[in-house]
Amino acid sequence: MQTNILNKLKEIELQKGVEILYAVESGSRAWGFASPDSDYDIRFIYKHSLDYYLSMWEQPDTIEFMTSENLDGSGWDLRKTLKLLSKSNVALLEWLYSPIIYCENEPVMNTLRTLAADCFSPIATMHHYLSTTRNFMDACTQDHVKLKSYFYALRTALAGKWIVENNTFPPVLFTDLLPIAPTNIQEKISELMTIKANQDEGYLHPKEALITNFLLETMAFNQAKASGLGSGKKRSEELDGVFRELIR
């Protein structure tokens, strides 16, 4: 599948007249709990030639595609990317630290990761993860639960707990977050991961009270700690400099 993904990205470069600086897997495959029928969520950062950025008129800043092979692609223009980086945008940060990289301009991405670490806002990121956890809690309290709902809620709840305990951006790979959960929770999650790996997305699992209660407790813990978290640094001049250098 990687060859097909790389071929599609080359096709996008030719069709759109762009250079793709970075392309990764996002979503459940990057998090490490995909189902057999999960899409490939391909996310990428690209740039145009200088003339594109000198236009008087507002220009599109995203590229999207969907193929019959379940390749779901979404890319952001460099200027959009840098603006979102300055705001500690969580989706972008997860791209930057994805464990599955399809292609990468290493010098450029190393620079962006350094700036991302400076711009990282623990409080903004915590609120993003809290909101996502809450969105899945209604589904997680039903008698039968889609495992996707459990894992989305668990990942974001543990990511919030990671921020409280480490004051850094949490790992993207779900198994790297598991050590901060109690042993009995880790064991139950491992059981559920095995089931999810062998079931389609539509599978409904009987409610696990242990997991639901852990989610409620962790969400309450994260909420209580959120107000004491710091914000990111502003790096406007540095981001401007990176933008100018890359489009020249």
Side-chain angles (χ1 to χ4, degrees):
M1 185 57 74
Q2 178 155 335
T3 299
N4 293 345
I5 290 169
L6 291 173
N7 287 339
K8 183 62 182 179
L9 293 172
K10 286 292 184 186
E11 179 185 316
I12 292 295
E13 286 186 312
L14 293 172
Q15 285 181 348
K16 303 294 184 179
V18 300
E19 177 187 347
I20 292 177
L21 302 170
Y22 184 61
V24 298
E25 186 67 31
S26 183
S28 60
R29 291 185 184 275
W31 298 330
F33 49 72
S35 297
D37 59 343
S38 293
D39 288 345
Y40 289 84
D41 295 318
I42 303 154
R43 301 295 179 257
F44 56 98
I45 298 167
Y46 63 90
K47 70 170 184 173
H48 286 271
S49 63
L50 178 60
D51 284 351
Y52 178 91
Y53 300 105
L54 297 178
S55 172
M56 289 171 51
W57 317 113
E58 186 174 341
Q59 303 279 12
D61 57 11
T62 61
I63 295 174
E64 296 182 342
F65 64 82
M66 175 66 81
T67 77
S68 58
E69 297 174 301
N70 292 325
L71 305 185
D72 178 354
S74 180
W76 290 343
D77 174 70
L78 177 64
R79 179 158 51 194
K80 177 186 180 77
T81 298
L82 294 175
K83 287 180 178 179
L84 290 173
L85 190 151
S86 73
K87 299 174 182 177
S88 195
N89 178 271
V90 175
L92 175 60
L93 292 176
E94 290 192 358
W95 298 7
L96 294 183
Y97 299 110
S98 173
I100 303 175
I101 298 174
Y102 294 120
C103 64
E104 176 179 24
N105 182 319
E106 288 191 21
V108 171
M109 298 315 301
N110 288 339
T111 297
L112 294 194
R113 290 190 187 99
T114 298
L115 287 167
D118 278 347
C119 294
F120 169 62
S121 170
I123 190 168
T125 307
M126 172 64 89
H127 283 301
H128 170 91
Y129 284 132
L130 270 171
S131 175
T132 305
T133 309
R134 284 194 206 98
N135 288 343
F136 284 97
M137 284 312 301
D138 183 60
C140 292
T141 57
Q142 302 301 310
D143 290 337
H144 288 81
V145 183
K146 281 189 177 181
L147 288 180
K148 178 177 181 177
S149 297
Y150 264 152
F151 280 102
Y152 275 51
L154 283 165
R155 188 187 73 87
T156 53
L158 288 172
K161 192 171 189 290
W162 177 282
I163 293 169
V164 172
E165 295 184 358
N166 298 282
N167 202 41
T168 60
F169 190 73
V172 172
L173 193 62
F174 184 58
T175 51
D176 289 344
L177 287 170
L178 285 185
I180 65 174
T183 301
N184 63 332
I185 299 297
Q186 293 184 49
E187 291 171 351
K188 177 55 70 174
I189 288 173
S190 294
E191 291 177 19
L192 296 179
M193 288 183 74
T194 300
I195 295 170
K196 190 175 190 303
N198 293 282
Q199 295 287 347
D200 290 342
E201 293 282 355
Y203 168 73
L204 290 172
H205 187 79
K207 183 172 73 174
E208 298 276 2
L210 181 69
I211 295 296
T212 301
N213 291 338
F214 173 73
L215 284 169
L216 292 169
E217 291 167 6
T218 306
M219 189 169 63
F221 171 83
N222 292 345
Q223 182 67 64
K225 298 291 185 179
S227 61
L229 298 173
S231 57
K233 299 175 183 177
K234 299 300 180 185
R235 288 289 184 255
S236 301
E237 290 185 11
E238 290 91 336
L239 290 166
D240 258 344
V242 169
F243 178 65
R244 293 191 188 101
E245 181 179 347
L246 289 176
I247 65 171
R248 282 176 179 150

